[in-house]
Amino acid sequence: MPRIAGIDIPEKKKIYFALQYVHGIGRKVAMDILTEAKIDPDQRAGQVDETALARINEIIDNGLVVEGALRRAVQQNIQRLKDVRTYRGERHRRGLPTRGQRTRSNARTRKGKKKTVAGKKGVKAK
């Protein structure tokens, strides 16, 4: 299996899609890397020779933050927001959406499973 940025990438997929298995590399960046390394995007990852893989790894190492370093940077940014007590930091702390989405009827992914609260019984008028 070919390794890029310390990650095993699937060898049967095209190199363009295989690169996207690395955290921090999306469609545009993958195409930019392949263009800079002069590699055909339609070539299978298993058929890419060692020198081309070395060029890809060199491009990634020199110009991109990927995998563990990227995950760490994102977590540090979130922690900074929490420490400064910003609105977004408070939303992260409470496990609610941070980008202005409504929470009355949606946001189940962030809020988790429903927690049923006992409702008011009908008030009897005398």
Side-chain angles (χ1 to χ4, degrees):
M1 245 185 181
R3 288 181 68 84
I4 293 182
I7 301 299
D8 289 333
I9 59 171
E11 57 190 36
K12 295 189 178 179
K13 291 191 182 284
K14 293 180 180 181
I15 188 70
Y16 170 70
F17 296 107
L19 271 175
Q20 295 175 39
Y21 278 68
V22 178
H23 182 74
I25 297 181
R27 295 180 301 214
K28 168 115 175 46
V29 175
M31 189 54 78
D32 291 346
I33 290 170
L34 294 175
T35 304
E36 189 176 334
K38 297 180 178 72
I39 299 170
D40 178 27
D42 292 328
Q43 192 176 8
R44 300 284 170 182
Q47 270 97 42
V48 177
D49 60 335
E50 291 298 319
T51 58
L53 285 176
R55 281 197 314 263
I56 290 173
N57 276 320
E58 183 180 327
I59 291 167
I60 291 172
D61 290 342
N62 290 340
L64 298 173
V65 179
V66 294
E67 282 301 322
L70 178 61
R71 292 179 205 273
R72 247 187 324 281
V74 169
Q75 282 306 311
Q76 286 172 349
N77 289 340
I78 292 172
Q79 190 57 48
R80 180 179 50 80
L81 290 171
K82 288 179 180 178
D83 292 343
V84 179
R85 304 289 300 240
T86 62
Y87 180 78
R88 272 175 52 208
E90 291 299 315
R91 301 296 283 184
H92 275 291
R93 180 174 286 133
R94 293 181 185 163
L96 294 169
T98 59
R99 297 188 177 181
Q101 297 92 332
R102 66 183 343 215
T103 57
R104 180 172 173 171
S105 60
N106 288 325
R108 274 291 137 217
T109 302
R110 285 290 293 183
K111 289 163 66 173
K113 251 181 123 40
K114 284 184 182 176
K115 300 177 249 346
T116 306
V117 178
K120 267 189 173 179
K121 297 278 183 180
V123 179
K124 294 180 181 175
K126 286 190 176 184

